[in-house]
């Protein structure tokens, strides 16, 4: 984790800046409190911070009161560190049956704890809307960390194959591709070039929009408002 802060973060942020690509940084709030220089640069470069919990703990065992406190602690901390409350939420691994309702009560605008689609969609909890921006694990760089037999080029090839299918489908229906990367993983010297190659590949195709999840949520809500809103 320390390597991600010391070396990975500058490489990733410099690459994104050089390519003009905005990103969403899902972060445990306390981690940003402890890395204020990184938090300032994320905001200064025009990126979004999405809450990934208050601390790096698993919330799915929390009772409702503890989870409500955890969600609000994350929002308040990120607002102090970054100057604005987070719009989105991603749990560590799993969420509870109360999470989505508690996020609505706390004023969050989108939720990422879903793997069921390639485009946003609305959910309703007690008649109150929450926009779901599905995440994807298969395009995440974690496999480069957990499976030594999975080579960097395997990951890049998979990203490009995924992108090409979604790009073709996007000609007739909305498609969103999530590329989840970690500063301590993709920020290594032997891996950062893979992210650059993927960005170059996608930017070479007309009509591709690189956007934060907040921007995607706002775009979707305008063009596909919650039914009855």
């Amino acid at each position: 984790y320390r390597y991600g802060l010391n070396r990975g973060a500058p490489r990733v942020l410099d690459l994104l800046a050089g390519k003009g690509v905005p990103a969403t940084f899902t972060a445990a709030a306390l981690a940003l409190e402890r890395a204020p220089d990184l938090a300032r640069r994320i905001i200064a470069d025009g990126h979004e911070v999405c809450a990934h919990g208050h601390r790096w703990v698993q919330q799915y065992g929390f009772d409702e009161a503890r989870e409500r406190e955890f969600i609000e602690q994350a929002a308040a901390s990120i607002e102090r560190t970054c100057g604005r409350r987070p719009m989105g939420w991603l749990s560590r691994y799993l969420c509870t049956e109360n999470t989505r309702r508690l996020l609505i009560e706390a004023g969050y605008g989108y939720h990422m704890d879903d793997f069921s689609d390639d485009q946003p969609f609305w959910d309703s909890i007690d008649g109150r809307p929450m926009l779901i921006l599905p995440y994807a694990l298969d395009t995440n760089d974690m496999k480069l960390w957990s499976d030594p037999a999975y080579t960097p080029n395997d990951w890049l090839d998979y990203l490009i194959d995924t992108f090409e299918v979604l790009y073709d489908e996007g000609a007739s229906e909305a498609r969103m591709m999530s590329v989840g990367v970690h500063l301590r993983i993709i920020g290594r010297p032997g891996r950062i070039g893979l992210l650059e190659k993927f960005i170059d590949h996608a930017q070479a195709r007309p009509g591709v929009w690189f956007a934060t999840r907040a921007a995607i949520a706002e775009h979707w809500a305008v063009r596909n408002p919650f039914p009855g809103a």
Side-chain angles (χ1 to χ4, degrees):
Y1 289 89
R2 179 61 58 184
Y3 186 90
L5 294 175
N6 290 342
R7 294 288 175 255
R11 288 190 182 112
V12 171
L13 285 162
D14 288 349
L15 172 61
L16 296 175
K19 300 295 182 182
V21 171
T24 294
F25 282 73
T26 58
L30 189 58
L32 288 179
E33 287 187 25
R34 294 175 174 176
D37 291 343
L38 174 59
R40 282 191 289 270
R41 176 153 185 205
I42 289 171
I43 297 303
D45 283 7
H47 303 300
E48 176 201 4
V49 173
C50 170
H52 200 18
H54 178 236
R55 303 175 63 93
W56 188 234
V57 296
Q58 298 169 358
Q59 76 191 67
Y60 57 80
F62 291 172
D63 62 24
E64 182 173 341
R66 178 68 186 95
E67 187 174 18
R68 177 181 285 107
E69 179 186 30
F70 186 71
I71 287 171
E72 178 54 36
Q73 284 177 323
S77 171
I78 290 172
E79 184 174 21
R80 288 193 301 270
T81 305
C82 302
R84 67 194 70 168
R85 284 175 72 89
M87 183 179 179
W89 180 274
L90 174 65
S91 303
R92 186 184 181 195
Y93 301 132
L94 297 170
C95 58
T96 77
E97 62 182 10
N98 299 314
T99 302
R100 200 158 285 175
R101 174 173 51 82
L102 295 175
L103 291 174
I104 292 173
E105 292 174 3
Y108 285 81
Y110 71 81
H111 190 198
M112 289 175 58
D113 291 325
D114 186 276
F115 307 98
S116 69
D117 210 334
D118 294 314
Q119 66 178 32
F121 62 91
W122 290 102
D123 191 13
S124 175
I125 299 88
D126 299 327
R128 302 174 67 184
M130 173 59 77
L131 185 58
I132 312 306
L133 267 62
Y135 192 43
L137 293 179
D138 59 320
T139 47
N140 193 293
D141 68 352
M142 184 57 71
K143 199 167 184 180
L144 294 170
W145 187 267
S146 61
D147 184 355
Y150 192 75
T151 71
N153 284 328
D154 289 336
W155 183 71
L156 177 60
D157 289 344
Y158 189 83
L159 287 189
I160 290 174
D161 289 346
T162 300
F163 170 83
E164 288 299 325
V165 170
L166 294 176
Y167 184 84
D168 289 344
E169 292 179 354
S172 58
E173 190 175 1
R175 288 292 181 264
M176 178 181 72
M177 180 176 176
S178 297
V179 180
V181 297
H182 299 77
L183 301 179
R184 68 187 186 278
I185 300 177
I186 203 65
R188 296 279 174 171
R191 299 187 184 123
I192 190 66
L194 304 173
L195 183 58
E196 181 174 15
K197 288 176 182 177
F198 174 73
I199 292 173
D200 287 344
H201 179 89
Q203 286 186 328
R205 303 297 294 272
V208 175
W209 182 35
F210 285 84
T212 65
R213 298 184 92 85
I216 293 170
E218 291 166 357
H219 180 88
W220 188 266
V222 168
R223 288 158 179 76
N224 303 275
F226 180 68

